[in-house]
Amino acid sequence: EEEVDAFELSEQEEIDLVRGKAAPPPTKLLLLLRTVADVGFVGFPNAGKSTLLNALTRARATINSYPFTTLMPNLGAMVPSGGEGGGGGGGGALLADLPGLVEGAHAGRGLGRQFLQQLRRVKVVLFVLDTTCAEVDVGEQYAILRRELQLYNPDYLARPHLVALNKLDTLLQAEGPAALAPETRRLTALLAAAARASAAPGDGPPTSPFAVLPISGMKGKGLRALQEAIAAALADHDAGAEGESDPPHPQ
């Protein structure tokens, strides 16, 4: 078969060029690239999202102690592994570490709109909360992040979501393993109260997290349970999507 060059000028186009006929006006195109991932990490700057991505995948996202280290989404495929850092299933799930959000992100503060649009195609949202932050406690972080997602695109909050209570290694070091369970219960209750308080009138009860998990991305603690929860949340999403697409059964 004869090959056709898509950029080759036709005979008439060559004649028009030689005769100096005016070329058609240029066309301006705006191309918007969105991250395609199964799970999107959402959190404040310095919440430990990039550290968590590196711990769950083979990604090597840049990590620093100052905020807004991540300016573009980082991607990694979750690979189950043995030991505390893995083995929970969900291998191959694509995880996206999104740049940190701040209050007012839905209106463009801190390039928030550019970051929020990257959630369009994710199936599950993972809120990564910093349990060591003195300025904004876990409940307030959760309420602000939920509000920003709601104001930008209410559909984001209709998707399954998980909450990772990050940096709890600090608590373990200070008070020992016995403090983990009661602190997790306390923080979980704080999240529920914050979600109720931040819900807009008429919205109905806020959606509950698929799971709330205490973790340390830096120390690799709690990651197996997180992997299991991610796999379960993705399966739940896919089952719901299949149910919506199935035609009704004849009576």
Side-chain angles (χ1 to χ4, degrees), residues 61-184:
T62 301
I63 299 170
N64 281 303
S65 58
Y66 53 82
F68 295 110
T69 305
T70 302
L71 297 177
M72 293 291 291
N74 295 308
L75 298 176
M78 190 166 70
V79 181
S81 59
E84 177 65 21
L94 195 59
L95 313 181
D97 157 32
L98 304 182
L101 298 178
V102 295
E103 192 166 12
H106 73 279
R109 185 183 176 199
L111 300 179
R113 286 184 175 178
Q114 294 183 30
F115 303 157
L116 285 166
Q117 71 182 10
Q118 304 299 331
L119 289 172
R120 294 268 178 151
R121 297 188 180 184
V122 304
K123 299 176 181 179
V124 172
V125 176
L126 173 61
F127 291 95
V128 181
L129 307 181
D130 182 356
T131 61
T132 66
C133 182
E135 293 79 13
V136 186
D137 68 26
V138 163
E140 192 175 354
Q141 290 175 51
Y142 185 55
I144 291 172
L145 293 170
R146 285 179 59 94
R147 188 161 55 246
E148 293 303 321
L149 267 59
Q150 170 74 25
L151 291 171
Y152 182 81
N153 186 345
D155 178 59
Y156 287 172
L157 290 185
R159 302 172 191 180
H161 74 277
L162 304 163
V163 174
L165 301 171
N166 197 21
K167 304 186 183 181
L168 278 174
D169 54 288
T170 302
L171 174 73
L172 291 174
Q173 185 175 3
E175 302 183 26
L180 184 60
E183 180 66 1
T184 300

Side-chain angles (χ1 to χ4, degrees), residues 246-251:
D246 288 343
H249 294 288
Q251 300 296 325

